[in-house]
Amino acid sequence: MRLLVVLTLAVSCLADVTHPLVGWICDRAGSLRPVYGTAGAFVLGEAVSHNISTASFNGTRGFALKGGTRFHFDREGRLEENESAAEQSVAARFNGSTLILESTAARIEFPQPIERIHAMGEGWLAVRTADAVYAVSTSEGTEQSYQLPEAEQ
Amino acid sequence: MIRPLLLLISAAAGLAFAAGRIEIFHAPTGSSEQPVGSVFEMPSAPVGGASSVRFRLRNTGDAAVTLSSLYCVERWCSMTGAPPIPHIMAANTNVDFTIRFSPPDAGSYSATLKVNANTVLLRGSGVPAAVVYASGRAVQPGEAIDFGAVETGQSRQQTLQLRNPSTAEVPLGVVAIAGSSFSFAGGAPAGRIAAGGVLDFAVMFRPSGSGLTRERLIVEGREYLLTGSVNEPAISRPSLQVDVPTAGSAQQGRVSIHLAEPSRARATTGVLRMELQPAGGATDNDGSAAFLSGGRTVQFVINQGDSVVRFAEADTISYQSGTTAGTIVFSVEVGGYRASTSVIIGPERVRLDRSQAQRSGSSIDVRINGFDNTRSIAAMNFTFHLKNGQALTPMQVPVGPDFAKWWSQSKLGGAFAFRAVFPVQGDAAQIAAVEVEIPNQAGTVKTERITF
């Protein structure tokens, strides 16, 4: 029997255009901010929380540590206290100023020694050095680092 | 007939009392005037120099008098400040003028000052002495020798001369400089100057402060002004250099500012600006087109010795070109200079960041992230593929209004996250993949086959 598959007319397709969320970071001032845009053209959004010591985001769910208190947060940055919240693991390690992506074995050099790395979004890492925060694309074939802008004062 | 005779006598008497009378006085500045007799001793003057005396003619009568003669005729005697002749002097008024005595050689001199019918014998002595020359011109006591404007930290030297115009050798007295910004380069002049001889000496102007400087050169008791001024040095003309892998959207590049020569100024503030001029009349709403330090304006300070502007610890400042076609103009203003350079961001096809699709119950959810730097997406073409490999007829979905609404409220330039949900009538599980074509005014881009 021929399977009949009918897709509704295009006019009834529901379409929507919104801001492209790349991920979330804890900026150098300790604020939790969304990162919008695209590779090489990032924009930091408004801070949703301050005094954050560390944060990570895997594309759907985030982790933040604030004053010893653990939080989960969603794509919209809504925080929820949760004692069992844990920072997402990253498939990467660093040695001095070299980042090594475990999934692809790609090595990326930074101008200064790496201090910390976090998950920033789906297919993205946040790499922190003394003077800047970088976004690193981890998808195979696109491994590259980009310096993230500072939040405009 | 007696009355008319009385009138005639009294008229004659009145004429005898109404008369003007010119008297000559010596009127030195700051002292009371003294009457001058038939002889007046002019102050001695150095050979090649001069002495000056101010005289005053006063009409001490009770009627006006005409000054018809006022002169002094000798080559070493000159007059200044006198009124044009003839000159009417009202009663109790005065006329001042100056006689200048300039002896060409040592010795005694005399000249006649004539004032109407009166004469005064002027006598004076020329004293052998060195005359100060600067730039080939004799400098009189009280006049200024100017060294012009020098930059802070710089100096300027000028060679002056002491000339002996007399026919006898002249011993040189004390020559000194009163002040700290001027000094003798090579020592103060001393010794003797032969008849007609010249003695060169150098004076250095090395100011420590700023503004106008006035000090004194003292030659045998005669004082001459030494003047100069200090300017803050200007920086040299700046130029901009932009380094970017590719002149296009979503690029991170670097800007540097170079000076033609190292700055001699101590500290000069400037500003670097970045301006986006979108093509096609689009609104500048691109927050990603900015310096990575935040915003589109950066202030900086050029310090002494800098030949390239420092931004924190680096010689460059990084920027993002954003996601809008057009022109990025970098401009710098510093030290009265303005320089600019442009980077053209050409229109390009939609650039895709991420494409996803998933089946959710009886609908298919397609999500595409990317950017359109022309902001001209009007429709998308979706081609669904069945599991058996069959491709369904492409569906064109008009998305112009959705994107127009997004561009009007976005602050992300051309970046977007698009989502389309397709309700399915029938077995949605038979749909295995989708490809999406997205045309804009620069061309058409196609996603890879997205499977779900």
Side-chain angles (χ1 to χ4, degrees), chain B residues 68-104:
Chain B
S68 58
S69 297
L70 178 61
Y71 57 86
C72 173
V73 181
E74 285 293 345
R75 65 183 176 92
W76 49 262
C77 172
S78 60
M79 181 184 293
T80 58
I85 300 301
H87 177 73
I88 297 175
M89 295 180 62
N92 295 317
T93 62
N94 56 272
V95 165
D96 286 2
F97 61 94
T98 299
I99 294 289
R100 183 183 174 94
F101 168 48
S102 308

Side-chain angles (χ1 to χ4, degrees), chain B residues 209-447:
Chain B
S210 61
L212 185 64
T213 302
R214 295 162 64 95
E215 295 181 354
R216 292 173 295 136
L217 170 67
I218 304 167
V219 179
E220 300 176 319
R222 303 186 300 279
E223 295 189 357
Y224 307 82
L225 285 175
L226 299 173
T227 63
S229 61
V230 183
N231 292 336
E232 281 296 324
I235 65 166
S236 56
R237 181 176 294 278
S239 62
L240 287 161
Q241 183 175 325
V242 179
D243 292 314
V244 63
T246 307
S249 286
Q251 294 290 316
Q252 293 189 339
R254 291 192 174 91
V255 179
S256 56
I257 304 172
H258 300 263
L259 301 179
E261 58 185 48
S263 174
R264 299 190 302 278
R266 278 176 284 206
T268 308
T269 57
V271 63
L272 173 66
R273 292 190 177 88
M274 176 179 175
E275 178 193 0
L276 172 62
Q277 300 171 350
T283 303
D284 176 12
N285 65 344
D286 196 345
S288 63
F291 293 111
L292 290 182
S293 55
R296 292 185 180 174
T297 300
V298 176
Q299 293 195 329
F300 55 85
V301 176
I302 300 177
N303 294 307
Q304 194 171 33
D306 286 349
S307 57
V308 64
V309 172
R310 301 284 291 173
F311 298 96
E313 300 299 317
D315 291 345
T316 62
I317 185 165
S318 299
Y319 75 96
Q320 292 182 145
S321 62
T323 52
T324 302
T327 303
I328 294 177
V329 179
F330 294 99
S331 61
V332 60
E333 292 179 26
V334 62
Y337 292 107
R338 192 174 190 280
S340 65
T341 191
S342 302
V343 177
I344 305 296
I345 309 298
E348 57 180 87
R349 298 180 302 167
V350 171
R351 201 184 302 181
L352 302 177
D353 218 4
R354 190 171 61 179
S355 305
Q356 295 176 315
Q358 65 181 30
R359 195 185 303 106
S360 175
S362 59
S363 64
I364 295 174
D365 189 339
V366 181
R367 300 180 189 229
I368 298 172
N369 285 15
F371 71 85
D372 172 15
N373 78 352
T374 69
R375 305 186 202 173
S376 59
I377 296 174
M380 294 184 182
N381 301 312
F382 293 81
T383 303
F384 290 91
H385 298 266
L386 302 180
K387 282 185 176 177
N388 61 9
Q390 177 186 358
L392 301 179
T393 302
M395 300 168 53
Q396 186 182 77
V397 177
V399 295
D402 300 293
F403 273 92
K405 179 182 174 185
W406 168 241
W407 303 138
S408 70
Q409 66 192 31
S410 168
K411 289 182 170 41
L412 304 179
F416 64 85
F418 170 81
R419 182 186 182 194
V421 178
F422 296 87
V424 178
Q425 290 183 355
D427 186 3
Q430 297 302 313
I431 303 173
V434 63
E435 290 169 332
V436 187
E437 281 188 354
I438 309 175
N440 72 354
Q441 69 182 35
T444 300
V445 69
K446 187 175 179 180
T447 67

